[in-house]
Structures are given as C-alpha cells and as structure tokens.
Amino acid sequence: MDKRLYNVNMLGLSFMFILAANQAMGNIAKTLLSSVQRDYPLFTGDGYISLSITYFVFALANWIAPSIVNFTGCKIAMIIGAICYTMFLVSYLWLTTFILYFMSAIQGFGAAILWTAQGTYLTLNSDPSTMSRNTGIFWTISNISMLLGNAFVSYALRDKSDFDDSTRTFIYIVLIIVSAFGTLLFLFLRSPVNQEGTLNERVEIISFTQEIKNTMSLFLTKDMRLLNITFFFTGLSLSFYSSVYSSSIGFTKRMGFNSKQLVGLSGLFIGIGEILGGLIFSILGQKTSDNNTTIKGLSHSAVIAIGFIVNIITYGLIIINLPDDSPFGDTTASSYINPNQYLAIFCSFLLGFGDSCFNTQLYNIIGLKYPENSAPPMALFNSMESIAASISFYYSNYFGIHFQLILLMVSSTVAALAFFKVEESSDKRYYEAI
C-alpha cells in the first residue's frame, strides 16, 4: 500500500476507536449520570454541564493548539490529545462532581490538540489530487465510530430499564479499553511523505500572536461574518443530536420498558444518517478539477437547502413526538401524540442526515474560498461551533425540548440564508474573474 494512503487509513482507524468510546459516552452522559445521582445523592454532576465545559475549553484551546502542534509534531500531539480523551473516561471509575468537571476541561483541551494535529497530518499526507479522496476516507472510517460505540451501549442495556451500577461499570471499562486501543494505534503512524515519496517536513504553523491577528482580520470580512452564523447553528445542532435528543428519548417512559436502550440505538441511527449523507453528497456534489473547472453536480446551496428542509421536518416531528420536559429527567408525560419509539429513531436518522448536509458543504466552502491558508477559517469554525455547543448544553437544563427545537428552526433558517448569500457572492466574483 502507498505509504501516504497507509497513514490516512491508520489515522481514520485510530480516530474510529477513540471516537467510538467518547461519542458513545457523550450520547449517554445525561441519562447515565442521572442514574448515578439516584444511587449516590452526594454526587451532583450533570451530563449537560460536563459537555458544556468540554466545548467551552475546546473553543478557547483552539487558539493555542496550532503552536503546540508545531512544537511537538503531529504524531506526539495526537497521542497527547488521545490520552486526554482516555483520562476523561477513566475518571468515571472514581466519580465525584469536581473530578467530572475538571476532566471535562482536560478533554476539551485534548480535543483542540487532537483535531488540529489531525488536520495538519492529513494535509502533509495529501496533495491537490488526493486531498478530496483522503478526506473522504478519513471521514468515512472515523464516523463508523458512531455505529460501533452506540451499538455497544444498546447491547449493554438490553433487557434493562436503567443504568444500574454493574452496567455502568461494564460500560466504563469497555469504553476505556477501546479509547486506549485507539491511542496506541497512533504509534503505528509513519512519518508523512510527499508525492515523490520523500520525507514531508511538518507544516510551519504560524505563531499564536499572528494566528490571532489573521483570524480576527478574517472575522471582520463580510463572507466570514455570514459563515459564522452557519457555524453557530451547527454548534447548536451538534449539542442537540449528540446528547440532548438521545437523552430525551431515554427519559421518556412512555417509549416503553426499553427506553434507556433506545439511547444507544438513537446514536447508532444518527451515525447512519451522518455516513449516508456524507457519502451521497461527496458523490453528487460539485467538484472542482485541477484546472478549476467545475464538474456538474448538486451545488453547495442545493445541498444546504436539502439539509434545511430535512431539519425543519425533523424538528416538527420531534415536537409532536416528545414531551417538553423530556431533556430534564424521567417523565411519563405525552406530547401531541403518545411517544412512538419508531418515529423517535427515524428522527435520529434524519438528524444525522441533516447535519451531514451542512457540515460537508461548510468544509467544501472553506476549502474553496481559503485554499492558501485554511487555518484561520477552521479556527473560527471550530471556535464558533464549540461556543454554540457549550451554550446549548448549558441551557438544555433549563429550556424544554419544544423551545430548543423552535430555536433550532429559527437558527437553521438564518444559517441557510447566510450560506446562500456567501455562495452567491463567491459565484459573482468567479464570473467577474473570468
């Protein structure tokens, strides 16, 4: 196998195991920690607050992560970041409120280093002709994590009505082992090489001060101000589909005896929607060849429009299906209909599919608009998304699911309109240039 292709595959495999463990834990955090509170009244840790801390620190740490990666190199940086992820899971074996929140911050710091190093390493192992292929390979392999982790949780909760102590311990140990295995796989990454097969030195990442200046300058441009609106929406969407929605299903007792098992099943179908959507639009979307000729396909705005329509329909179905108080804890209330588990799982799939529509096109538009230096726009993307996710996780303890969904409807509409405006202005500049 080509050395660069080997590196890309191994990178995706490492992330697959790490994310399988950590995304599964994020998906069940609220419902699992609620069961811990019932068994141990002195414990007051909350899943939404934990995730809010992680994303807040992730947003801040994005600004210093490039300098850390430049100093350590990609491989060491990814190992450090993965160790932070694994340490967070290990902390569940000795749960206290302080340890939970402190390790949530450590995980956020590690995430910033891990993802910055991942982007740099992928770039070092790619060239213009293979970048799209390599990104697709990494994205597909790593997103299988959502299937594996949530399938395991669903299996662990079979025939159970709640997370009892032995089930929680079993889940902790398995997820720790999976995350640790993914961390060890980073040791098998080889040094990146260029197209000629010679050693590709690490990319020179600009200083922290210059990074701030470049990013702030970019932030003030018209297109980036508009894109930040879309970035912010993806953060609100991320928090909802990655934890709040699945937790709400698990808390809805009218779903049936196996409502807690549905938490893992919901995460699994979100992953299926993400993977299917990404594969479809990577094939059907517009592509640009080496001579800047656009190959016919769905425009970026068309894919965003599809995602917007899917989102609005999904949000409406969830309002009809789930009671308003479902994010907070166990409830026996009904919504506009008696809660239906099949409709709930179908909405999980739609949430993943709609999210993939927005995210695939945002990565594409960043790559097309800022091909020379994608670090500042990616920093803004990660930061705005993480800030929005942090805010959303925090208010999820106070706002019912119906209010949250109305907020998502409004923000999805504004985000889609902002993206349309950016692509329209990009198209005008393209035609003026030719």
Side-chain angles (χ1 to χ4, degrees):
M1 180 185 293
D2 173 64
K3 189 174 182 179
R4 292 189 300 170
L5 189 57
Y6 165 86
N7 282 341
V8 172
N9 280 282
M10 184 57 68
L11 182 69
L13 199 62
S14 301
F15 270 79
M16 183 185 76
F17 284 102
I18 292 169
L19 297 180
N22 286 273
Q23 287 177 341
M25 183 59 77
N27 191 47
I28 64 174
K30 178 67 176 182
T31 47
L32 184 145
L33 291 177
S34 293
S35 70
V36 176
Q37 291 174 3
R38 286 193 296 270
D39 293 343
Y40 304 96
L42 293 179
F43 176 77
T44 58
D46 179 82
Y48 293 156
I49 298 298
S50 169
L51 290 163
S52 178
I53 292 171
T54 293
Y55 280 99
F56 179 73
V57 174
F58 181 36
L60 296 180
N62 268 305
W63 303 98
I64 62 173
S67 299
I68 295 174
V69 175
N70 189 42
F71 176 76
T72 63
C74 296
K75 183 175 178 178
I76 298 300
M78 284 188 284
I79 291 173
I80 293 172
I83 288 174
C84 291
Y85 270 58
T86 306
M87 287 172 59
F88 170 74
L89 294 174
V90 171
S91 70
Y92 272 77
L93 293 172
W94 298 278
L95 265 181
T96 68
T97 303
F98 172 78
I99 289 177
L100 173 68
Y101 292 159
F102 177 75
M103 294 310 298
S104 297
I106 295 296
Q107 184 186 38
F109 175 76
I113 299 173
L114 183 68
W115 286 102
T116 300
Q118 175 270 332
T120 305
Y121 187 79
L122 194 62
T123 300
L124 289 171
N125 283 282
S126 307
D127 54 60
S129 64
T130 61
M131 188 67 201
S132 178
R133 179 204 68 182
N134 290 348
T135 301
I137 290 172
F138 171 80
W139 182 88
T140 301
I141 296 175
S142 62
N143 272 281
I144 293 174
S145 61
M146 296 190 72
L147 308 184
L148 298 179
N150 288 296
F152 161 70
V153 170
S154 184
Y155 166 78
L157 288 170
R158 70 193 188 285
D159 302 325
K160 294 181 182 293
S161 60
D162 205 351
F163 290 90
D164 56 66
D165 196 48
S166 61
T167 301
R168 291 195 300 262
T169 302
F170 174 60
I171 291 174
Y172 300 156
I173 292 174
V174 171
L175 295 186
I176 289 168
I177 292 173
V178 171
S179 184
F181 181 70
T183 302
L184 290 175
L185 287 181
F186 282 123
L187 297 174
F188 295 93
L189 291 176
R190 301 173 183 173
S191 298
V193 294
N194 57 28
Q195 195 169 9
E196 290 72 33
T198 57
L199 185 66
N200 197 5
E201 298 297 332
R202 75 175 81 159
V203 175
E204 182 64 28
I205 302 177
I206 58 179
S207 68
F208 170 68
T209 303
Q210 191 60 44
E211 181 86 24
I212 294 290
K213 291 180 179 179
N214 289 352
T215 305
M216 289 305 298
S217 176
L218 178 64
F219 179 83
L220 298 175
T221 63
K222 179 182 177 181
D223 282 352
M224 187 51 66
R225 289 200 304 271
L226 289 169
L227 283 175
N228 277 327
I229 297 173
T230 313
F231 296 161
F232 196 85
F233 162 70
T234 62
L236 298 180
S237 175
L238 169 67
S239 63
F240 185 78
Y241 79 75
S242 67
S243 184
V244 176
Y245 179 63
S246 296
S247 297
S248 298
I249 293 175
F251 285 138
T252 304
K253 291 296 187 180
R254 286 179 179 264
M255 285 288 177
F257 172 81
N258 64 335
S259 62
K260 293 297 187 290
Q261 187 178 9
L262 293 176
V263 176
L265 194 62
S266 170
L268 189 151
F269 273 84
I270 290 171
I272 293 174
E274 290 277 5
I275 293 173
L276 182 62
L279 289 176
I280 290 174
F281 296 121
S282 65
I283 296 172
L284 298 181
Q286 285 185 349
K287 300 175 180 64
T288 303
S289 63
D290 291 339
N291 59 1
N292 292 324
T293 300
T294 300
I295 302 171
K296 188 176 181 180
L298 289 175
S299 68
H300 303 305
S301 290
V303 178
I304 290 291
I306 292 172
F308 166 73
I309 294 170
V310 170
N311 282 342
I312 295 299
I313 292 173
T314 307
Y315 300 153
L317 291 174
I318 296 172
I319 287 176
I320 293 171
N321 195 37
L322 293 186
D324 189 45
D325 62 348
S326 56
F328 308 138
D330 288 339
T331 176
T332 56
S334 291
S335 187
Y336 295 95
I337 63 173
N338 193 50
N340 183 285
Q341 58 181 258
Y342 298 104
L343 179 58
I345 297 303
F346 177 62
C347 287
S348 298
F349 168 79
L350 293 180
L351 284 174
F353 187 86
D355 180 71
S356 71
C357 293
F358 274 83
N359 273 284
T360 54
Q361 302 318 300
L362 284 174
Y363 279 108
N364 283 337
I365 203 74
I366 288 174
L368 291 173
K369 287 182 64 63
Y370 309 100
E372 300 301 324
N373 184 14
S374 61
M378 284 306 301
L380 283 173
F381 184 11
N382 289 332
S383 294
M384 291 299 293
E385 185 176 65
S386 300
I387 289 171
S390 177
I391 294 171
S392 180
F393 276 124
Y394 182 78
Y395 69 56
S396 292
N397 273 318
Y398 304 98
F399 296 156
I401 197 170
H402 294 171
F403 179 86
Q404 293 186 46
L405 288 163
I406 292 172
L407 184 60
L408 283 169
M409 287 181 176
V410 173
S411 59
S412 179
T413 303
V414 177
L417 293 173
F419 188 95
F420 297 157
K421 188 67 176 177
V422 171
E423 186 167 44
E424 179 186 8
S425 64
S426 298
D427 289 342
K428 285 181 180 179
R429 285 193 291 270
Y430 173 76
Y431 286 115
E432 288 172 358
I434 61 174

